[in-house]
Amino acid sequence: MGVRVKLKIVSRSGKEVITSALANSGFEAETSQLLIPRSLARELDLWPPPPDAHLVEVGTAGGPVRNYLIPKTLDVYVLAGDRTVGPIKCDAMISLIEYEVLISDVLIEELGVVLLAPKTGLWRFKDEDRVRVSEAPQYWF
């Protein structure tokens, strides 16, 4: 199942989207990054890529892929029903092949999300004892 949380994503143009996102601890990054599918990038006015986007090659389980990286372009919030955490400023990583929003290890930690049971989708915020249930997946085709 995986742990998915509901995010509010706000781009620098002011466009706002609410979506579920997979907290992917295997998405290792050096900065806070949110991988977004191209169709979601379009919704956020980030496609076609702006002039400050960089084409980068990243390693994946399926081999190397090229994505566009736009530094510090998104404000991300976790919406958890009874509380909101954020904003956290992060990089947008635009994928041409992925259909789900993925949260990097750095961004997971900065949002205060603690993965308790990844198979069953249980998580909590680092400053609480309440166990929370994963959101349903949302795909951006």
Side-chain angles (χ1 to χ4, degrees), residues 8-11 13-18 40 43-44 77 79:
K8 177 170 83 170
I9 306 166
V10 182
S11 70
S13 71
K15 292 284 180 124
E16 184 178 304
V17 171
I18 295 176
L40 177 54
E43 292 286 323
L44 293 167
Y77 303 77
L79 306 178

Side-chain angles (χ1 to χ4, degrees), residues 2-3 5-6 10 38 47-48 51 54 70 72 80 87 91 98 100 109-111 113 116 118-119 134 136 140:
V3 170
V5 296
K6 185 182 291 187
V10 182
R38 179 174 41 191
W47 192 265
H54 308 282
I70 309 166
K72 302 294 181 195
D91 304 336
E98 181 60 58
E100 189 169 11
E109 193 166 314
E110 289 183 348
L111 290 167
V113 172
L116 298 174
K119 180 178 185 258
S134 186
W140 292 84

Side-chain angles (χ1 to χ4, degrees), residues 56-113:
V56 296
E57 186 170 274
V58 296
T60 71
V65 297
R66 290 186 175 170
N67 292 333
Y68 287 94
L69 178 71
I70 309 166
K72 302 294 181 195
T73 193
L74 300 174
D75 287 318
V76 177
Y77 303 77
V78 176
L79 306 178
D82 63 326
R83 66 186 285 195
T84 298
V85 173
I88 301 294
K89 180 73 74 182
C90 71
D91 304 336
M93 176 82 68
I94 302 172
S95 173
L96 305 180
I97 58 174
E98 181 60 58
Y99 296 111
E100 189 169 11
V101 177
L102 304 178
I103 308 170
S104 74
D105 59 346
V106 175
L107 186 54
I108 292 168
E109 193 166 314
E110 289 183 348
L111 290 167
V113 172

